[in-house]
Amino acid sequence: MLRTPTTRLLAVGAAASLTLSLAACGGSEESTAPAEDPKELVLSLVPSGDIDSITESAKGLESFLSDRIGIPVRAEVTESYAAAIVAMKSDQAQVAMLGPIGVVQAEDQAGAVPILQSVRYGSSSYHTQWFTNDPETYCADEVKVLDGLKYCNGTDAAKTGPTGEVALSKVKPGTPIAFVDQGSAAGYYYPATQWGLVTGGDALVDLDAQFAGDHDAAVLAVARGDYPVGVSFDDAREDVAADEPKVASDVVVFAYSAEIPNDGIVVAGGLSKELRTKVTDAFTAMAKDPKGLKTLAAVYDIEGLVKVDKTALKKAKSVEENFGE
């Protein structure tokens, strides 16, 4: 059915566990020694598209970051956002690149520290796009074509969301929807929250949520007629349109969610302040280096990195809290 990444996170044998060392004699002036930083950093990544592509691109991350930080950095592709957070919580990973919901969950569950936020198209925010293969139901106006892709309900002209929300009332309870991942902001949390606010329904109970595993797969599921409606980041169609002609001919975007803070980078709270600073500086330098920026673009289409927008993350946290455990 829908493809789900199968690469598993491997345990880190070389990384030191962040434990406190007891002094040889009780009652000495210093009864404990400070926690030691690991001799290797593991960077957790979550696929947003083709898993082989991100695995290959991650080699550039490893090389650049290792040179800048001064210790080996190894990238591991996890099955999901949840798996990446578990890896941080269990000291199997010390750095992670996560969506905004993953960032706030990593803070709460693993004591992680957000350090940087991605920039795309000159913005540190983005939105969910709702799309369908049934424009007669979900489009209140004529379908328009822009750069070879189809839009309706004003989404062709809108730069930010929300847009076309009235159409969400036509997504009836029980409608099968190709969401992305249960930990994805654009692929689940924000659109499910939006549907609930527009209709007064309970998205967790009323919608037939199906999880594609990544944004590309959600687009393809609707293009191929597996589901009438799907969601993804704007515009995930561009990544698969060349390989699947039905994406351009049959997939119509009909609504946008409210703006979402872009994905970010978190580091383990147990790392020393010195090492956290080195990681931050290394990523910042990477975003300013032509070769480094090319690598970031290959991994997650990142055009730049900026300091974390704490206000935007606070809003993301309020969305996440609506879903409970």
Side-chain angles (χ1 to χ4, degrees):
M1 194 175 150
L2 300 179
R3 60 190 173 94
T4 302
T6 56
T7 300
R8 298 186 178 277
L9 181 71
L10 302 177
V12 181
S17 59
L18 303 176
T19 57
L20 296 176
S21 303
L22 296 175
C25 299
S28 63
E29 211 167 85
E30 280 189 27
S31 59
T32 61
E36 292 184 2
D37 282 324
K39 301 296 187 274
E40 175 190 57
L41 292 176
V42 174
L43 168 63
S44 231
L45 303 173
V46 180
S48 62
D50 181 67
I51 192 169
D52 293 329
S53 176
I54 193 173
T55 301
E56 182 63 29
S57 300
K59 294 177 183 177
L61 288 175
E62 293 175 331
S63 176
F64 192 99
L65 296 173
S66 296
D67 288 345
R68 288 284 179 155
I69 297 171
I71 60 175
V73 175
R74 178 160 55 85
E76 290 287 355
V77 181
T78 66
E79 293 180 339
S80 63
Y81 293 102
I85 294 167
V86 169
M88 293 206 78
K89 190 174 182 179
S90 60
D91 286 338
Q92 291 182 305
Q94 294 76 38
V95 187
M97 300 177 76
L98 302 169
I101 297 298
V103 168
V104 298
Q105 288 177 333
E107 271 192 290
D108 291 344
Q109 299 173 24
V113 179
I115 56 171
L116 295 167
Q117 196 171 322
S118 301
V119 173
R120 294 183 187 85
Y121 305 106
S123 175
S124 59
S125 70
Y126 69 117
H127 46 260
T128 298
Q129 63 178 16
W130 290 80
F131 46 83
T132 183
N133 51 31
D134 181 13
E136 289 189 8
T137 298
Y138 299 102
C139 292
D141 58 7
E142 184 181 349
V143 173
K144 297 180 179 179
V145 179
L146 182 65
D147 296 328
L149 297 173
K150 293 183 175 180
Y151 303 82
C152 68
N153 301 337
T155 56
D156 59 304
K159 301 299 182 184
T160 60
T163 302
E165 284 192 309
V166 66
L168 297 183
S169 62
K170 298 180 180 180
V171 181
K172 301 302 182 183
T175 300
I177 298 179
F179 287 106
V180 174
D181 179 283
Q182 287 173 294
S184 172
Y188 184 50
Y189 279 89
Y190 275 75
T193 298
Q194 183 185 24
W195 183 85
L197 291 172
V198 169
T199 66
D202 184 344
L204 301 181
V205 175
D206 298 333
L207 293 179
D208 182 5
Q210 301 294 322
F211 295 98
D214 61 50
H215 295 265
D216 290 3
V219 172
L220 291 172
V222 173
R224 294 167 181 170
D226 295 335
Y227 301 98
V229 174
V231 301
S232 72
F233 65 76
D234 175 24
D235 195 317
R237 292 178 297 174
E238 295 175 352
D239 295 336
V240 291
D243 296 325
E244 176 51 80
K246 288 185 177 180
V247 171
S249 63
D250 296 357
V251 179
V252 183
V253 168
F254 67 89
Y256 292 150
S257 74
E259 291 298 290
I260 307 167
N262 280 353
D263 50 299
I265 302 168
V266 299
V267 296
L271 298 183
S272 68
K273 184 177 180 180
E274 179 183 5
L275 185 51
R276 291 203 306 267
T277 299
K278 285 183 178 180
V279 173
T280 304
D281 290 346
F283 271 106
T284 301
M286 193 171 193
K288 294 178 179 179
D289 177 88
K291 186 176 179 181
L293 189 56
K294 188 176 181 179
T295 297
L296 289 170
V299 174
Y300 284 139
D301 295 322
I302 294 173
E303 296 179 355
L305 293 169
V306 294
K307 290 183 179 179
V308 169
D309 184 339
K310 293 182 179 179
T311 300
L313 282 182
K314 188 177 291 186
K315 291 180 181 178
K317 183 175 176 62
S318 69
V319 170
E320 187 267 344
E321 287 175 342
N322 289 333
F323 288 74
E325 294 296 327

